[in-house]
Amino acid sequence: FSNDGGGTADAASAPITEFVGVLEAGDPEFERPDGNGTTCTPNSGAENHFYDTYSFVIDQADTYTFSMVPNSGGDFYALLYGGEFDPSNPCTNFLEGDDDDAGSSDPEIMIELTLVPGDYTLVVTEFSSFSDLADGNYTINISSANGGNVLPPGGGGGGIDADGLLIDGGSTDAC
């Protein structure tokens, strides 16, 4: 977009409603903590779990739900962090974790928390070490109770992000 002067422009990113990925050999590795619920303790002392990360921004205080749809492969585990995720210190910034409990009723993973505006990271990993990994696709759906949005990094407060801009976040022009 362009602005010839005299106006303001605010670019807002499109909300994210799901994270889709494939957990597979070759992904980065870390020592997955035991992080079910809101407690977090180191696990094995070895970097033997593959993982994917998804950084995002919350735009308003709300209750957010992250749920995994049924999957046909892998034994998944999800960890939510406030701020950045540090694989060398996997309990720093930890908020909540959940195992997919293979064979349980849907949804397989569900993290439901009241979050405030700010930066967060979701880590999708495997429950067992990589020697037991069955490569697998996964989809994590995101919803909020009262209209809060999950946005790409830099997407909160009108930041510009390459992941899908909307030229609509309050743009005006003086002409």
Side-chain angles (χ1 to χ4, degrees), residues 1-41:
F1 66 90
S2 65
N3 181 358
D4 295 334
T8 62
D10 183 23
S13 298
I16 299 168
T17 58
E18 67 181 21
F19 297 122
V20 177
V22 179
L23 198 57
E24 57 192 346
D27 285 343
E29 301 166 22
F30 80 129
E31 175 189 359
R32 180 193 61 79
D34 289 328
N36 268 338
T38 58
T39 60
C40 185
T41 56

PDB file of all heavy atoms in Angstrom, residues 1-41:
ATOM      1  N   PHE A   1       0.847  -1.179   0.000  1.00  0.00           N
ATOM      2  CA  PHE A   1       0.000   0.000   0.000  1.00  0.00           C
ATOM      3  C   PHE A   1       0.878   1.222   0.000  1.00  0.00           C
ATOM      4  O   PHE A   1       2.033   1.159   0.356  1.00  0.00           O
ATOM      5  CB  PHE A   1      -0.971  -0.020   1.191  1.00  0.00           C
ATOM      6  CG  PHE A   1      -0.321   0.093   2.542  1.00  0.00           C
ATOM      7  CD1 PHE A   1      -0.093   1.305   3.137  1.00  0.00           C
ATOM      8  CD2 PHE A   1       0.063  -1.050   3.232  1.00  0.00           C
ATOM      9  CE1 PHE A   1       0.491   1.409   4.376  1.00  0.00           C
ATOM     10  CE2 PHE A   1       0.661  -0.955   4.474  1.00  0.00           C
ATOM     11  CZ  PHE A   1       0.874   0.272   5.055  1.00  0.00           C
ATOM     12  N   SER A   2       0.299   2.369  -0.383  1.00  0.00           N
ATOM     13  CA  SER A   2       1.054   3.620  -0.356  1.00  0.00           C
ATOM     14  C   SER A   2       0.221   4.691   0.324  1.00  0.00           C
ATOM     15  O   SER A   2      -1.002   4.617   0.362  1.00  0.00           O
ATOM     16  CB  SER A   2       1.436   4.066  -1.773  1.00  0.00           C
ATOM     17  OG  SER A   2       0.273   4.380  -2.496  1.00  0.00           O
ATOM     18  N   ASN A   3       0.897   5.675   0.839  1.00  0.00           N
ATOM     19  CA  ASN A   3       0.246   6.781   1.517  1.00  0.00           C
ATOM     20  C   ASN A   3       0.887   8.053   0.988  1.00  0.00           C
ATOM     21  O   ASN A   3       2.078   8.257   1.142  1.00  0.00           O
ATOM     22  CB  ASN A   3       0.451   6.624   3.033  1.00  0.00           C
ATOM     23  CG  ASN A   3      -0.221   7.726   3.833  1.00  0.00           C
ATOM     24  OD1 ASN A   3      -0.813   8.622   3.269  1.00  0.00           O
ATOM     25  ND2 ASN A   3      -0.097   7.633   5.145  1.00  0.00           N
ATOM     26  N   ASP A   4       0.083   8.935   0.378  1.00  0.00           N
ATOM     27  CA  ASP A   4       0.607  10.160  -0.222  1.00  0.00           C
ATOM     28  C   ASP A   4       0.781  11.284   0.782  1.00  0.00           C
ATOM     29  O   ASP A   4       1.037  12.416   0.408  1.00  0.00           O
ATOM     30  CB  ASP A   4      -0.313  10.630  -1.360  1.00  0.00           C
ATOM     31  CG  ASP A   4      -0.326   9.635  -2.502  1.00  0.00           C
ATOM     32  OD1 ASP A   4       0.665   8.903  -2.660  1.00  0.00           O
ATOM     33  OD2 ASP A   4      -1.337   9.590  -3.225  1.00  0.00           O
ATOM     34  N   GLY A   5       0.629  11.014   2.042  1.00  0.00           N
ATOM     35  CA  GLY A   5       0.789  12.038   3.073  1.00  0.00           C
ATOM     36  C   GLY A   5      -0.554  12.445   3.649  1.00  0.00           C
ATOM     37  O   GLY A   5      -1.580  12.383   3.007  1.00  0.00           O
ATOM     38  N   GLY A   6      -0.540  12.861   4.886  1.00  0.00           N
ATOM     39  CA  GLY A   6      -1.756  13.344   5.507  1.00  0.00           C
ATOM     40  C   GLY A   6      -2.642  12.266   6.103  1.00  0.00           C
ATOM     41  O   GLY A   6      -3.663  12.560   6.677  1.00  0.00           O
ATOM     42  N   GLY A   7      -2.290  11.005   5.970  1.00  0.00           N
ATOM     43  CA  GLY A   7      -3.123   9.933   6.508  1.00  0.00           C
ATOM     44  C   GLY A   7      -2.305   9.001   7.374  1.00  0.00           C
ATOM     45  O   GLY A   7      -1.106   9.186   7.564  1.00  0.00           O
ATOM     46  N   THR A   8      -2.964   8.015   7.915  1.00  0.00           N
ATOM     47  CA  THR A   8      -2.269   7.011   8.714  1.00  0.00           C
ATOM     48  C   THR A   8      -2.567   5.643   8.117  1.00  0.00           C
ATOM     49  O   THR A   8      -3.596   5.448   7.480  1.00  0.00           O
ATOM     50  CB  THR A   8      -2.745   7.022  10.180  1.00  0.00           C
ATOM     51  OG1 THR A   8      -4.131   6.701  10.221  1.00  0.00           O
ATOM     52  CG2 THR A   8      -2.506   8.367  10.829  1.00  0.00           C
ATOM     53  N   ALA A   9      -1.674   4.743   8.314  1.00  0.00           N
ATOM     54  CA  ALA A   9      -1.888   3.376   7.838  1.00  0.00           C
ATOM     55  C   ALA A   9      -1.495   2.424   8.948  1.00  0.00           C
ATOM     56  O   ALA A   9      -0.483   2.609   9.609  1.00  0.00           O
ATOM     57  CB  ALA A   9      -1.064   3.105   6.584  1.00  0.00           C
ATOM     58  N   ASP A  10      -2.304   1.416   9.138  1.00  0.00           N
ATOM     59  CA  ASP A  10      -2.041   0.395  10.136  1.00  0.00           C
ATOM     60  C   ASP A  10      -2.267  -0.953   9.470  1.00  0.00           C
ATOM     61  O   ASP A  10      -3.359  -1.209   8.978  1.00  0.00           O
ATOM     62  CB  ASP A  10      -2.986   0.571  11.332  1.00  0.00           C
ATOM     63  CG  ASP A  10      -2.699  -0.425  12.437  1.00  0.00           C
ATOM     64  OD1 ASP A  10      -1.570  -0.928  12.498  1.00  0.00           O
ATOM     65  OD2 ASP A  10      -3.617  -0.692  13.232  1.00  0.00           O
ATOM     66  N   ALA A  11      -1.248  -1.759   9.424  1.00  0.00           N
ATOM     67  CA  ALA A  11      -1.382  -3.085   8.825  1.00  0.00           C
ATOM     68  C   ALA A  11      -1.541  -4.106   9.935  1.00  0.00           C
ATOM     69  O   ALA A  11      -0.771  -4.127  10.877  1.00  0.00           O
ATOM     70  CB  ALA A  11      -0.143  -3.410   7.988  1.00  0.00           C
ATOM     71  N   ALA A  12      -2.549  -4.937   9.843  1.00  0.00           N
ATOM     72  CA  ALA A  12      -2.788  -5.969  10.850  1.00  0.00           C
ATOM     73  C   ALA A  12      -2.727  -7.329  10.172  1.00  0.00           C
ATOM     74  O   ALA A  12      -3.173  -7.488   9.055  1.00  0.00           O
ATOM     75  CB  ALA A  12      -4.147  -5.758  11.510  1.00  0.00           C
ATOM     76  N   SER A  13      -2.201  -8.303  10.847  1.00  0.00           N
ATOM     77  CA  SER A  13      -2.080  -9.637  10.285  1.00  0.00           C
ATOM     78  C   SER A  13      -3.366 -10.415  10.452  1.00  0.00           C
ATOM     79  O   SER A  13      -4.129 -10.200  11.386  1.00  0.00           O
ATOM     80  CB  SER A  13      -0.948 -10.389  10.979  1.00  0.00           C
ATOM     81  OG  SER A  13       0.280  -9.746  10.761  1.00  0.00           O
ATOM     82  N   ALA A  14      -3.598 -11.334   9.533  1.00  0.00           N
ATOM     83  CA  ALA A  14      -4.765 -12.208   9.608  1.00  0.00           C
ATOM     84  C   ALA A  14      -4.625 -13.152  10.796  1.00  0.00           C
ATOM     85  O   ALA A  14      -3.548 -13.664  11.060  1.00  0.00           O
ATOM     86  CB  ALA A  14      -4.887 -13.005   8.309  1.00  0.00           C
ATOM     87  N   PRO A  15      -5.711 -13.376  11.543  1.00  0.00           N
ATOM     88  CA  PRO A  15      -5.655 -14.300  12.675  1.00  0.00           C
ATOM     89  C   PRO A  15      -5.307 -15.722  12.238  1.00  0.00           C
ATOM     90  O   PRO A  15      -5.661 -16.159  11.149  1.00  0.00           O
ATOM     91  CB  PRO A  15      -7.075 -14.247  13.251  1.00  0.00           C
ATOM     92  CG  PRO A  15      -7.647 -12.955  12.751  1.00  0.00           C
ATOM     93  CD  PRO A  15      -7.003 -12.720  11.421  1.00  0.00           C
ATOM     94  N   ILE A  16      -4.622 -16.443  13.110  1.00  0.00           N
ATOM     95  CA  ILE A  16      -4.263 -17.837  12.882  1.00  0.00           C
ATOM     96  C   ILE A  16      -5.325 -18.697  13.568  1.00  0.00           C
ATOM     97  O   ILE A  16      -5.651 -18.476  14.728  1.00  0.00           O
ATOM     98  CB  ILE A  16      -2.883 -18.150  13.490  1.00  0.00           C
ATOM     99  CG1 ILE A  16      -1.798 -17.283  12.847  1.00  0.00           C
ATOM    100  CG2 ILE A  16      -2.550 -19.628  13.354  1.00  0.00           C
ATOM    101  CD1 ILE A  16      -0.475 -17.326  13.590  1.00  0.00           C
ATOM    102  N   THR A  17      -5.859 -19.686  12.858  1.00  0.00           N
ATOM    103  CA  THR A  17      -6.857 -20.579  13.451  1.00  0.00           C
ATOM    104  C   THR A  17      -6.353 -22.008  13.585  1.00  0.00           C
ATOM    105  O   THR A  17      -7.027 -22.838  14.189  1.00  0.00           O
ATOM    106  CB  THR A  17      -8.147 -20.579  12.617  1.00  0.00           C
ATOM    107  OG1 THR A  17      -7.838 -20.974  11.274  1.00  0.00           O
ATOM    108  CG2 THR A  17      -8.791 -19.192  12.610  1.00  0.00           C
ATOM    109  N   GLU A  18      -5.183 -22.305  13.012  1.00  0.00           N
ATOM    110  CA  GLU A  18      -4.620 -23.642  13.174  1.00  0.00           C
ATOM    111  C   GLU A  18      -3.128 -23.639  12.869  1.00  0.00           C
ATOM    112  O   GLU A  18      -2.629 -22.774  12.147  1.00  0.00           O
ATOM    113  CB  GLU A  18      -5.321 -24.668  12.286  1.00  0.00           C
ATOM    114  CG  GLU A  18      -5.122 -24.482  10.814  1.00  0.00           C
ATOM    115  CD  GLU A  18      -5.864 -25.509   9.966  1.00  0.00           C
ATOM    116  OE1 GLU A  18      -6.830 -26.127  10.440  1.00  0.00           O
ATOM    117  OE2 GLU A  18      -5.457 -25.676   8.799  1.00  0.00           O
ATOM    118  N   PHE A  19      -2.427 -24.593  13.474  1.00  0.00           N
ATOM    119  CA  PHE A  19      -1.039 -24.886  13.151  1.00  0.00           C
ATOM    120  C   PHE A  19      -1.033 -26.266  12.520  1.00  0.00           C
ATOM    121  O   PHE A  19      -1.614 -27.201  13.074  1.00  0.00           O
ATOM    122  CB  PHE A  19      -0.159 -24.917  14.404  1.00  0.00           C
ATOM    123  CG  PHE A  19      -0.076 -23.608  15.143  1.00  0.00           C
ATOM    124  CD1 PHE A  19      -0.463 -23.529  16.466  1.00  0.00           C
ATOM    125  CD2 PHE A  19       0.402 -22.473  14.525  1.00  0.00           C
ATOM    126  CE1 PHE A  19      -0.372 -22.340  17.176  1.00  0.00           C
ATOM    127  CE2 PHE A  19       0.490 -21.274  15.220  1.00  0.00           C
ATOM    128  CZ  PHE A  19       0.102 -21.210  16.538  1.00  0.00           C
ATOM    129  N   VAL A  20      -0.389 -26.411  11.360  1.00  0.00           N
ATOM    130  CA  VAL A  20      -0.323 -27.682  10.648  1.00  0.00           C
ATOM    131  C   VAL A  20       1.143 -28.022  10.444  1.00  0.00           C
ATOM    132  O   VAL A  20       1.935 -27.163  10.060  1.00  0.00           O
ATOM    133  CB  VAL A  20      -1.042 -27.588   9.279  1.00  0.00           C
ATOM    134  CG1 VAL A  20      -0.911 -28.880   8.510  1.00  0.00           C
ATOM    135  CG2 VAL A  20      -2.505 -27.204   9.466  1.00  0.00           C
ATOM    136  N   GLY A  21       1.510 -29.265  10.694  1.00  0.00           N
ATOM    137  CA  GLY A  21       2.903 -29.643  10.514  1.00  0.00           C
ATOM    138  C   GLY A  21       3.095 -31.128  10.398  1.00  0.00           C
ATOM    139  O   GLY A  21       2.151 -31.916  10.433  1.00  0.00           O
ATOM    140  N   VAL A  22       4.365 -31.499  10.257  1.00  0.00           N
ATOM    141  CA  VAL A  22       4.781 -32.892  10.205  1.00  0.00           C
ATOM    142  C   VAL A  22       5.963 -33.020  11.150  1.00  0.00           C
ATOM    143  O   VAL A  22       6.959 -32.320  11.005  1.00  0.00           O
ATOM    144  CB  VAL A  22       5.218 -33.315   8.788  1.00  0.00           C
ATOM    145  CG1 VAL A  22       5.678 -34.759   8.776  1.00  0.00           C
ATOM    146  CG2 VAL A  22       4.110 -33.084   7.781  1.00  0.00           C
ATOM    147  N   LEU A  23       5.840 -33.902  12.123  1.00  0.00           N
ATOM    148  CA  LEU A  23       6.953 -34.173  13.019  1.00  0.00           C
ATOM    149  C   LEU A  23       7.722 -35.331  12.410  1.00  0.00           C
ATOM    150  O   LEU A  23       7.142 -36.393  12.127  1.00  0.00           O
ATOM    151  CB  LEU A  23       6.427 -34.538  14.404  1.00  0.00           C
ATOM    152  CG  LEU A  23       7.432 -34.442  15.536  1.00  0.00           C
ATOM    153  CD1 LEU A  23       8.024 -33.045  15.623  1.00  0.00           C
ATOM    154  CD2 LEU A  23       6.785 -34.822  16.839  1.00  0.00           C
ATOM    155  N   GLU A  24       9.025 -35.123  12.172  1.00  0.00           N
ATOM    156  CA  GLU A  24       9.792 -36.141  11.469  1.00  0.00           C
ATOM    157  C   GLU A  24      11.262 -36.079  11.848  1.00  0.00           C
ATOM    158  O   GLU A  24      11.738 -35.081  12.381  1.00  0.00           O
ATOM    159  CB  GLU A  24       9.629 -35.948   9.968  1.00  0.00           C
ATOM    160  CG  GLU A  24      10.045 -34.576   9.484  1.00  0.00           C
ATOM    161  CD  GLU A  24       9.614 -34.298   8.061  1.00  0.00           C
ATOM    162  OE1 GLU A  24       9.220 -35.243   7.351  1.00  0.00           O
ATOM    163  OE2 GLU A  24       9.680 -33.141   7.656  1.00  0.00           O
ATOM    164  N   ALA A  25      11.934 -37.171  11.574  1.00  0.00           N
ATOM    165  CA  ALA A  25      13.375 -37.226  11.784  1.00  0.00           C
ATOM    166  C   ALA A  25      14.013 -36.078  11.009  1.00  0.00           C
ATOM    167  O   ALA A  25      13.599 -35.759   9.895  1.00  0.00           O
ATOM    168  CB  ALA A  25      13.922 -38.564  11.313  1.00  0.00           C
ATOM    169  N   GLY A  26      14.986 -35.428  11.607  1.00  0.00           N
ATOM    170  CA  GLY A  26      15.631 -34.287  10.979  1.00  0.00           C
ATOM    171  C   GLY A  26      15.178 -32.962  11.574  1.00  0.00           C
ATOM    172  O   GLY A  26      15.829 -31.944  11.381  1.00  0.00           O
ATOM    173  N   ASP A  27      14.024 -32.959  12.286  1.00  0.00           N
ATOM    174  CA  ASP A  27      13.616 -31.756  13.005  1.00  0.00           C
ATOM    175  C   ASP A  27      14.613 -31.515  14.132  1.00  0.00           C
ATOM    176  O   ASP A  27      15.322 -32.435  14.545  1.00  0.00           O
ATOM    177  CB  ASP A  27      12.209 -31.936  13.595  1.00  0.00           C
ATOM    178  CG  ASP A  27      11.105 -31.841  12.541  1.00  0.00           C
ATOM    179  OD1 ASP A  27      11.372 -31.322  11.442  1.00  0.00           O
ATOM    180  OD2 ASP A  27       9.981 -32.292  12.828  1.00  0.00           O
ATOM    181  N   PRO A  28      14.658 -30.303  14.684  1.00  0.00           N
ATOM    182  CA  PRO A  28      15.557 -30.061  15.826  1.00  0.00           C
ATOM    183  C   PRO A  28      15.202 -31.001  16.984  1.00  0.00           C
ATOM    184  O   PRO A  28      14.079 -31.507  17.068  1.00  0.00           O
ATOM    185  CB  PRO A  28      15.291 -28.611  16.209  1.00  0.00           C
ATOM    186  CG  PRO A  28      14.455 -28.031  15.137  1.00  0.00           C
ATOM    187  CD  PRO A  28      13.891 -29.132  14.324  1.00  0.00           C
ATOM    188  N   GLU A  29      16.165 -31.196  17.895  1.00  0.00           N
ATOM    189  CA  GLU A  29      15.972 -32.095  19.032  1.00  0.00           C
ATOM    190  C   GLU A  29      16.190 -31.339  20.340  1.00  0.00           C
ATOM    191  O   GLU A  29      16.956 -30.394  20.395  1.00  0.00           O
ATOM    192  CB  GLU A  29      16.971 -33.247  18.955  1.00  0.00           C
ATOM    193  CG  GLU A  29      16.861 -34.062  17.696  1.00  0.00           C
ATOM    194  CD  GLU A  29      18.065 -34.973  17.470  1.00  0.00           C
ATOM    195  OE1 GLU A  29      18.773 -35.289  18.444  1.00  0.00           O
ATOM    196  OE2 GLU A  29      18.289 -35.335  16.320  1.00  0.00           O
ATOM    197  N   PHE A  30      15.489 -31.786  21.397  1.00  0.00           N
ATOM    198  CA  PHE A  30      15.683 -31.220  22.729  1.00  0.00           C
ATOM    199  C   PHE A  30      15.327 -32.254  23.782  1.00  0.00           C
ATOM    200  O   PHE A  30      14.807 -33.318  23.473  1.00  0.00           O
ATOM    201  CB  PHE A  30      14.865 -29.933  22.904  1.00  0.00           C
ATOM    202  CG  PHE A  30      13.397 -30.113  23.223  1.00  0.00           C
ATOM    203  CD1 PHE A  30      12.834 -29.451  24.296  1.00  0.00           C
ATOM    204  CD2 PHE A  30      12.572 -30.916  22.448  1.00  0.00           C
ATOM    205  CE1 PHE A  30      11.486 -29.585  24.605  1.00  0.00           C
ATOM    206  CE2 PHE A  30      11.233 -31.057  22.736  1.00  0.00           C
ATOM    207  CZ  PHE A  30      10.690 -30.396  23.825  1.00  0.00           C
ATOM    208  N   GLU A  31      15.636 -31.922  25.030  1.00  0.00           N
ATOM    209  CA  GLU A  31      15.245 -32.766  26.149  1.00  0.00           C
ATOM    210  C   GLU A  31      13.821 -32.383  26.523  1.00  0.00           C
ATOM    211  O   GLU A  31      13.580 -31.342  27.135  1.00  0.00           O
ATOM    212  CB  GLU A  31      16.163 -32.545  27.352  1.00  0.00           C
ATOM    213  CG  GLU A  31      15.718 -33.308  28.579  1.00  0.00           C
ATOM    214  CD  GLU A  31      16.485 -32.920  29.834  1.00  0.00           C
ATOM    215  OE1 GLU A  31      17.378 -32.074  29.771  1.00  0.00           O
ATOM    216  OE2 GLU A  31      16.152 -33.466  30.880  1.00  0.00           O
ATOM    217  N   ARG A  32      12.856 -33.217  26.121  1.00  0.00           N
ATOM    218  CA  ARG A  32      11.462 -32.898  26.418  1.00  0.00           C
ATOM    219  C   ARG A  32      11.226 -33.024  27.911  1.00  0.00           C
ATOM    220  O   ARG A  32      11.510 -34.047  28.514  1.00  0.00           O
ATOM    221  CB  ARG A  32      10.508 -33.829  25.676  1.00  0.00           C
ATOM    222  CG  ARG A  32       9.050 -33.493  25.995  1.00  0.00           C
ATOM    223  CD  ARG A  32       8.073 -34.543  25.549  1.00  0.00           C
ATOM    224  NE  ARG A  32       8.248 -35.846  26.135  1.00  0.00           N
ATOM    225  CZ  ARG A  32       7.864 -36.226  27.352  1.00  0.00           C
ATOM    226  NH1 ARG A  32       7.317 -35.354  28.171  1.00  0.00           N
ATOM    227  NH2 ARG A  32       8.045 -37.458  27.771  1.00  0.00           N
ATOM    228  N   PRO A  33      10.692 -31.954  28.524  1.00  0.00           N
ATOM    229  CA  PRO A  33      10.411 -32.055  29.962  1.00  0.00           C
ATOM    230  C   PRO A  33       9.130 -32.841  30.206  1.00  0.00           C
ATOM    231  O   PRO A  33       8.325 -33.030  29.301  1.00  0.00           O
ATOM    232  CB  PRO A  33      10.232 -30.595  30.375  1.00  0.00           C
ATOM    233  CG  PRO A  33       9.681 -29.942  29.151  1.00  0.00           C
ATOM    234  CD  PRO A  33      10.356 -30.645  27.991  1.00  0.00           C
ATOM    235  N   ASP A  34       8.948 -33.299  31.438  1.00  0.00           N
ATOM    236  CA  ASP A  34       7.654 -33.812  31.859  1.00  0.00           C
ATOM    237  C   ASP A  34       6.846 -32.574  32.182  1.00  0.00           C
ATOM    238  O   ASP A  34       7.085 -31.921  33.192  1.00  0.00           O
ATOM    239  CB  ASP A  34       7.788 -34.714  33.090  1.00  0.00           C
ATOM    240  CG  ASP A  34       8.452 -36.034  32.741  1.00  0.00           C
ATOM    241  OD1 ASP A  34       8.253 -36.510  31.603  1.00  0.00           O
ATOM    242  OD2 ASP A  34       9.166 -36.578  33.585  1.00  0.00           O
ATOM    243  N   GLY A  35       5.911 -32.241  31.314  1.00  0.00           N
ATOM    244  CA  GLY A  35       5.182 -30.997  31.465  1.00  0.00           C
ATOM    245  C   GLY A  35       3.693 -31.161  31.311  1.00  0.00           C
ATOM    246  O   GLY A  35       3.059 -30.347  30.659  1.00  0.00           O
ATOM    247  N   ASN A  36       3.104 -32.217  31.859  1.00  0.00           N
ATOM    248  CA  ASN A  36       1.651 -32.334  31.835  1.00  0.00           C
ATOM    249  C   ASN A  36       1.065 -31.369  32.846  1.00  0.00           C
ATOM    250  O   ASN A  36       1.579 -31.225  33.949  1.00  0.00           O
ATOM    251  CB  ASN A  36       1.201 -33.756  32.166  1.00  0.00           C
ATOM    252  CG  ASN A  36       1.033 -34.590  30.910  1.00  0.00           C
ATOM    253  OD1 ASN A  36       0.845 -34.057  29.822  1.00  0.00           O
ATOM    254  ND2 ASN A  36       1.104 -35.887  31.050  1.00  0.00           N
ATOM    255  N   GLY A  37      -0.022 -30.715  32.473  1.00  0.00           N
ATOM    256  CA  GLY A  37      -0.614 -29.733  33.366  1.00  0.00           C
ATOM    257  C   GLY A  37       0.272 -28.511  33.452  1.00  0.00           C
ATOM    258  O   GLY A  37       0.862 -28.091  32.468  1.00  0.00           O
ATOM    259  N   THR A  38       0.396 -27.949  34.650  1.00  0.00           N
ATOM    260  CA  THR A  38       1.138 -26.705  34.804  1.00  0.00           C
ATOM    261  C   THR A  38       2.480 -26.883  35.496  1.00  0.00           C
ATOM    262  O   THR A  38       3.140 -25.905  35.816  1.00  0.00           O
ATOM    263  CB  THR A  38       0.301 -25.687  35.596  1.00  0.00           C
ATOM    264  OG1 THR A  38      -0.028 -26.257  36.862  1.00  0.00           O
ATOM    265  CG2 THR A  38      -0.959 -25.302  34.846  1.00  0.00           C
ATOM    266  N   THR A  39       2.904 -28.136  35.720  1.00  0.00           N
ATOM    267  CA  THR A  39       4.223 -28.361  36.307  1.00  0.00           C
ATOM    268  C   THR A  39       5.198 -28.794  35.220  1.00  0.00           C
ATOM    269  O   THR A  39       4.810 -29.396  34.227  1.00  0.00           O
ATOM    270  CB  THR A  39       4.173 -29.452  37.402  1.00  0.00           C
ATOM    271  OG1 THR A  39       3.724 -30.670  36.813  1.00  0.00           O
ATOM    272  CG2 THR A  39       3.241 -29.045  38.524  1.00  0.00           C
ATOM    273  N   CYS A  40       6.455 -28.489  35.428  1.00  0.00           N
ATOM    274  CA  CYS A  40       7.469 -28.818  34.426  1.00  0.00           C
ATOM    275  C   CYS A  40       8.726 -29.274  35.150  1.00  0.00           C
ATOM    276  O   CYS A  40       9.251 -28.570  36.010  1.00  0.00           O
ATOM    277  CB  CYS A  40       7.773 -27.588  33.573  1.00  0.00           C
ATOM    278  SG  CYS A  40       8.896 -27.905  32.200  1.00  0.00           S
ATOM    279  N   THR A  41       9.212 -30.463  34.794  1.00  0.00           N
ATOM    280  CA  THR A  41      10.464 -30.973  35.336  1.00  0.00           C
ATOM    281  C   THR A  41      11.278 -31.580  34.205  1.00  0.00           C
ATOM    282  O   THR A  41      10.711 -32.125  33.260  1.00  0.00           O
ATOM    283  CB  THR A  41      10.224 -32.052  36.422  1.00  0.00           C
ATOM    284  OG1 THR A  41       9.418 -33.094  35.867  1.00  0.00           O
ATOM    285  CG2 THR A  41       9.525 -31.476  37.635  1.00  0.00           C
TER     286      THR A  41
END
